[in-house]
Amino acid sequence: MGWPGPLRHSPFRAIWATTVLSQLGSFIQIVAISWTMASLSASAAMVALVQTAANFPMILLAVAAGALADMFDRRHVMLTAQFLMLLLSLGLALCALLDMLTPVLLLSFTFLIGCGTALHAPAWQASVGELVPRNQISSAVATNVFGNNIARSIGPALGGAIVSVAGAGVAFAINAFSYAGVIAVLLRWKGPGVLSGHRPNFIQMVSGGFGYALAQVRVRNLFLRTFAFGFGAAAIWAFMPLVAIRLGGGAQLLGVLFACFGVGAMFGAIASIAIRSRYGIGALVGVAVMAVALPLFLLGLTRSVPIAVFAHLLAGAGWVAVLSTFNVSVQLAVARSHVGRTLAIYQMMAFGGVALGSATWGVMADYAGMPTALVAAGAFLAMSGMFGALFALPEPTAEQEN
């Protein structure tokens, strides 16, 4: 029996498989960083700033990275990002093993590794259309989401166990070596190279990307909805280590909560297909936003481990349904010549929302308490979801420009 759908294409299959392994290492590292910060600082704001440091590079670099993805060989852009993250992760591991980490140093490493992610993401997502036929782009995006959620389901539980048994330094080292597979595949892959024709300068590419994307009303509205969703949903990520501590657990419980989020995301990716086909993408996004808002209320109002497990399962399902739907809408609604930059703006809005939301809810938690911050985030997300439903999502085009 052959490979299903986009996995029939060997370049996509190879990059997808090694990316899943790399993401597995990344989720191991996420748990290690989160738990290390919770061990180094008692401040809710400092713990929440881990998510800000990880996601803020998307605000600073995503559009520039998208322009680079449209200007240069995307394979070279991805290789540069992978080598950068490999070196930084090795440095983080060394500092942890030598017991040199401080909250500021940990945030600095997190930010710099996030810069590598910001450089890599637009090039990788824009490369999907070069690895599979156009009619399989939606399936390829779904396959990427599925792979990410495999890593998200397994990696955190492994991360929690590794941190508990061997320490954060070992977890960081494992992540560093997880980049090797992607690097090896990218070195072998012969992509389409640089787009033919005259290459505009960098400023023209960046401004042109903004102008093209923002001129389309529905795409512009999607960006605003994406930012609002990331801002509210950020609380689930920002407070996960503190929720684990509040429930009387340690690094292993934190790993379980991260893993539950991933398992929920996997089921959400599957369920969203049926909901989308029967009720449309508008109804799917509306239900999915509320599926993230409700867990925030539950986590703020209860101290039950079973309820926390359920809340993270539900939040994972809603998270992936919203962002995968927005991602596909962007990919199919813009010209291929602009897809790298448009996806970069989308990523900037999504992760920028998470970065700013994490800092906001963290400061609120320091002053008003974490339960209040969780409930406030849930209320914001529910209200923004209802308001956003008034604006239609971009419709896929029958064909894209070249």
Side-chain angles (χ1 to χ4, degrees):
M1 183 175 65
W3 292 95
L7 291 176
R8 285 198 295 267
H9 304 278
S10 57
F12 176 82
R13 184 171 67 246
I15 297 177
W16 177 84
T18 52
T19 297
V20 171
L21 290 175
S22 178
Q23 290 171 338
L24 185 70
S26 296
F27 283 110
I28 290 173
Q29 179 163 282
I30 286 170
V31 172
I33 289 175
S34 298
W35 188 252
T36 300
M37 181 58 81
S39 303
L40 292 172
S41 175
S43 167
M46 288 300 294
V47 174
L49 281 175
V50 168
Q51 292 301 319
T52 300
N55 292 287
F56 195 69
M58 284 291 181
I59 301 177
L60 299 179
L61 302 175
V63 178
L68 293 175
D70 285 337
M71 290 177 66
F72 299 101
D73 187 333
R74 288 164 183 158
R75 183 177 72 98
H76 293 162
V77 175
M78 288 188 282
L79 277 169
T80 300
Q82 290 292 317
F83 276 115
L84 174 64
M85 290 186 286
L86 170 61
L87 293 174
L88 288 168
S89 294
L90 284 173
L92 177 59
L94 182 62
C95 288
L97 291 170
L98 295 176
D99 198 24
M100 296 171 55
L101 284 178
T102 65
V104 173
L105 187 58
L106 183 62
L107 289 176
S108 299
F109 270 113
T110 304
F111 173 80
L112 292 172
I113 292 170
C115 290
T117 302
L119 178 62
H120 180 269
W124 166 228
Q125 294 196 38
S127 295
V128 169
E130 300 165 355
L131 294 163
V132 301
R134 171 176 158 74
N135 63 2
Q136 291 188 355
I137 288 178
S138 180
S139 296
V141 171
T143 302
N144 281 339
V145 171
F146 182 74
N148 177 267
N149 289 317
I150 291 175
R152 193 191 302 271
S153 302
I154 300 172
L158 282 176
I162 291 168
V163 171
S164 296
V165 174
V170 174
F172 297 145
I174 289 172
N175 176 62
F177 289 108
S178 74
Y179 296 112
V182 179
I183 291 172
V185 171
L186 288 174
L187 287 172
R188 291 200 309 269
W189 176 45
K190 302 301 181 185
V194 183
L195 294 175
S196 60
H198 172 69
R199 181 191 298 165
N201 66 43
F202 181 75
I203 301 299
Q204 288 176 326
M205 291 292 284
V206 172
S207 61
F210 269 108
Y212 174 84
L214 298 181
Q216 302 180 63
V217 175
R218 290 193 174 187
V219 172
R220 187 167 67 239
N221 290 340
L222 182 145
F223 289 156
L224 293 175
R225 293 179 69 177
T226 301
F227 178 84
F229 176 75
F231 187 90
I236 199 93
W237 292 98
F239 295 137
M240 211 178 291
L242 300 179
V243 167
I245 293 172
R246 184 170 178 248
L247 296 174
Q252 286 184 310
L253 179 58
L254 175 60
V256 168
L257 295 180
F258 267 111
C260 287
F261 191 96
V263 171
M266 193 179 303
F267 282 104
I270 297 170
S272 65
I273 297 172
I275 297 173
R276 184 188 301 119
S277 62
R278 183 164 184 176
Y279 300 105
I281 60 174
L284 169 61
V285 172
V287 170
V289 169
M290 295 306 168
V292 181
L294 176 60
L296 289 169
F297 287 110
L298 293 175
L299 292 171
L301 297 173
T302 68
R303 287 177 175 265
S304 166
V305 172
I307 290 177
V309 166
F310 169 75
H312 283 82
L313 287 168
L314 185 60
W319 172 272
V320 76
V322 172
L323 292 185
S324 64
T325 300
F326 286 171
N327 186 299
V328 172
S329 296
V330 169
Q331 289 232 35
L332 297 181
V334 302
R336 293 303 307 168
S337 59
H338 287 72
V339 70
R341 284 162 288 171
T342 306
L343 280 170
I345 297 171
Y346 161 75
Q347 293 282 347
M348 181 182 74
M349 300 305 286
F351 292 99
V354 172
L356 296 179
S358 295
T360 300
W361 306 126
V363 171
M364 180 181 288
D366 270 350
Y367 283 95
M370 185 177 67
T372 299
L374 284 164
V375 171
F380 172 86
L381 192 58
M383 289 188 292
S384 65
M386 289 186 287
F387 181 73
L390 300 175
F391 302 95
L393 294 170
E395 295 181 356
T397 57
E399 60 183 16
Q400 291 173 310
E401 304 169 42
N402 294 316

